[in-house]
Amino acid sequence: MIRLYLRMALKSLGQNPGLTAIMVATVALGIAACVTVITMFHAMSADPIWWKSDRLYAVTLDSWDVNEPPDAARPHLPPPRLTYRDAMHLLESNIPERKTVMYVARTSILSNADRPPIAAEARFTRGDFFPMFDVPFQYGGSWSVADDTNAAPVIVLSKEVNETLFGGDNSVGRIVRWNDREFRIVGVLDTWEPQPKFYDLNRGHFEMPEGAYIPFRWGPQNKVTSASGRCWKPEPLDSYEDILGSECTWQQMWVELPDAATRERMQDLLDTYTTEQRKSGRFQRPQNNRLTNVPQWLIDQGVVQNDNRVLVGLAFAFLAVCLLNVVGLLLAKFLNAAKTIGIRRALGARKGQIFAQYFVEAAVVSTLGAALGLALGALSLKGLSIMYTVDEATRGGYRELLHFDVSSVVVAIALAAVATVVGGFYPAWRAARLPPAVYLKSQ
Amino acid sequence: MIEMRNINKVYRSELVETRALRELSQQVGAGEFVAITGPSGSGKTTLLNIVGLLETFDSGSLHFDGEDVSRLSDDARSRLRNEKIGFIFQSFNLIPDLSIYDNVDVPLCYRGMKAGERHRRITSALELVGLGSRMRHLPSQLSGGQQQRAAIARAIAGDPKLLLADEPTGNLDSVMAGQVLDLLQQINQSGTAIVMVTHDPHLAARAQRSVHVVDGQIAPEESGTLRAPAALAMPEARARETR
Amino acid sequence: MSGNIRQVVSALRHNRIGALLVAMQIAITLAVLVNAVFIVKQRMERTSRPTGFDVENVIAIASAGFAQDFDYVTTLREDLAYLRSLPGVIAATASNSVPLGGGVGVMASLAARPNAEVHSLPGGYFEVDEQGIDALGVRLVAGRGFEQSEVEPPADSITARMPKQIIITQAFADELFPNENALGKTVYDSVDTPVTVIGIIEHMQAASADVAYVDRVSLVPRQPSSVPKNFYLVRTEPQQRDVVMRMVEGRMSTSNPDRMISWVRSLEEVRRRAYLADRNMGIFLVTITALLLTLTALSLFGLATFNVNARTKQIGTRRALGARRGDIVRYFLLENWLISTIGVVLGCVLTLAASYWLTRKYGLPRLDLIYLAGGVVGLWVLGQIAAWQPARAAAQVPPAVATRRIA
């Protein structure tokens, strides 16, 4: 039976190629707009390390100015980074299974004797960084705890940097110059592109990870300054030591807590520490110490832009108009066929059969529309990534972000189903309800 | 009242040229009731369309009420139709989305009449045709005969000098057809000229005069043969229909 | 006419779903159109704010020294000498930051009195030399520019004390000293260093386009620090910019092996990047709105065409009953107008709801009702245009259709 309906639907659609094309194109436009925007939205708000979401926490303390919040737009949040001295104190705790404090160097140039130097960012962090965030290695591995303690001049390179400087060879054990100082390579990362870049959202949400990683202690020992940070207190900051002892926040801290109990103990530690510090005149704002998991962290740090939320609303409004349009066209088409329907009814077709026949026709339109919509969506994502590409040379940003995945296809299929039901049900129902006799009369 | 002289009408399509009317001349006097008969495709409807200013013709002349209407603009022809001519169609041509009342209102609206005057005319026309109690009904809620009576009300509400009827009983059974014809005669007796197209000679017999059209021309031998008084012709026609 | 409207309304009531579908499309289209135009206009206002500096003729160069024995001071001197020697160059300065170049970090707070007494105001902070004003192409409205002797060497720390002289924008001056002339006054930095205002420039935008205080800028006489990189701002004669850019790119990228030229850009390009998101949002909104308007117009056109085709016999009948061609055109335009009107009435409600949501949730300014009025009129006109051709086609239906046997 369904094959008969399909054949009749295709025939009916073929008889009116112009109208069919308009309907399919309309459905396709609506679905393309939705798939594009939803893919974008999904990519932005996705949790890139969902399998560890219940274990990873960003640590923040509200050490800010008593008179004003660090971010007027989100006054309930503490600053996203810690002061150096708070970070150092918390690092001593052995409650977390893994822990790291980290920052990115202000200047970072890597060079290898025989090749031109390249600018690639360097992160000062602890060896825990790699197992904590499940960072994959192509060659070698993380440095040892002893290297952390001794501030050893060792380095881990990204796959990309290794390709530029060493032609992609296994460079473990070789020497690379960072800011003209010698470092021994202990590991080379495999492809690793968490999107969004959840562990550091301070300078762009969709940047690529850094090109080099160096044991944390080496940085402060060699007076390496941070690429980002914020200060609030009017205090002299003339020397590097001034900065280390200041209220400036520039250390990012992440901990891995295996269960709720350790999480509670960690929270207690934070609260005890700030209560203690309060006595010496610091932490004058209401106590606001937070352990934030990755999904919440992405929300707090405003990864999904308001513009994108508006666009999602817009896309659905657009889809609604497209569907209304198709419903109108199908309705007109079906009611125009009143005479044929009357004859069919007179020849013995039941209401249900008439309904099924026209519903299948609507479904064919929606399915074609969804297929075309997916293709259009892929095109428009391509267009988007070009629009958002700042320049050709830099990687990162939206360019890597916007591509189709399984979820886009699922969204398209779901939308097509909705389009069929919403767009086809009413017209088919109306067609089935036409009284058989009236339209058989001459007028 | 109507004077047609040497009217020619040719329909041209890409393949064929059909001469619908050839050198046709005919007069209709005020208050006359003329039937036009003839086989299918003889040009009856074309003749009616031309008299009713629905169509133009290729050569010849047409005078309506002493005025030459051969070269009138489309708008002027619309105006004449609206004010002096009423139409009754085989398939009634009531507007399905409008009530009977609103259907009768259509030509009066186009005349730009005041609302009170329109209301008076609509109700009296509908009462005349016996539909005073069904003014708010939609056409689909009425029987065929009632629909045609509503159409007649619409045609006469504007007080036309000429009523054109195109197979007015073609879609009706004989009882309803008789009622419609009675109504037409009643209207004719109050002074409105009627030109009625029909293929049925017995219906034509009820007109004062019958014109037979064959091949776009008026057949001379039949012209005027059925000039028997309507009252005489009627019983015979009825007898045959009910047999 | 009143009878006419009644007839149209009556016909619509019998096709109400079809009409309602189109009316809902119009409603949504109006809501999107009005809010989109409003947002786009705001973005355009934002991106076309006057910059105060010479956008067309200034080149920015980013230079990062990295070698262990990098001689920064010599490099600065040689680079500036080279840049100033180029034909077509009006002036060149070294700087710590590029206007509209991004980064909220390059800022400094100023206060009219020591910090204990008043709250300080944050603003953009630019370290320039004696050619700074000319190199930026900003207009000095009071006081004087910096002397060569006033320009200090690079500072070592992140937040060094300010030099003794400062030039500020008029906007900054007005906020620090309302109703007073700021020239010659003393201002205080975040560690209460007293600084004298020696000049006021008419206007200049800071490094970040996104902050509320984009118009508050201070210029100080100092060479920029070498970390993470320093910049050069070079202003050229009109038409000479691209030639100079090519020369600079060719020469400076190889002249000194101890440093890297990260990029060379015109300030036009810098500004384009600063407003990329606004531009893209604008493109999105305009595209979607244009598509919506097209779709809606097609719908109205389709509905009118369908109605005309379905009512050929009726049109013929009306013509036979005395309707002129104009009456038929008017009938269909009136029908379209009624549908549009239902649509825009629904649309007004929807527009205001959407606008309320945007205001509540995303802090957009309240919708100016003139936009709504414009949208309503626009959609009315669009509807009439869309229905014009079908209405004309209807008027061409010959009255003889009324007597045709097969319809």
Side-chain angles (χ1 to χ4, degrees), chain C residues 241-277:
Chain C
R241 185 190 74 190
D242 294 345
V243 181
V244 173
M245 265 176 83
R246 273 195 295 279
M247 282 195 282
V248 167
E249 275 171 340
R251 162 76 181 271
M252 286 179 79
S253 55
T254 50
S255 64
N256 188 337
D258 291 345
R259 65 99 182 272
M260 258 181 70
I261 296 296
S262 307
W263 45 260
V264 179
R265 286 174 197 150
S266 69
L267 285 194
E268 261 179 349
E269 168 67 9
V270 169
R271 182 174 63 169
R272 188 187 73 81
R273 286 162 180 259
Y275 292 124
L276 197 64

Side-chain angles (χ1 to χ4, degrees), chain A residues 32-41 43 373-389 398-399 401-405 408, chain C residues 284:
Chain A
C34 278
V35 169
T36 306
V37 173
I38 290 172
T39 304
M40 205 159 102
F41 193 77
L374 264 181
L376 271 180
L379 270 182
S380 68
L381 277 182
K382 189 93 196 148
L384 273 182
S385 56
I386 292 171
M387 267 165 67
Y388 277 103
T389 301
Y398 288 84
R399 212 135 67 105
L401 186 66
L402 297 176
H403 53 79
F404 264 153
D405 48 19
S408 316
Chain C
F284 263 129

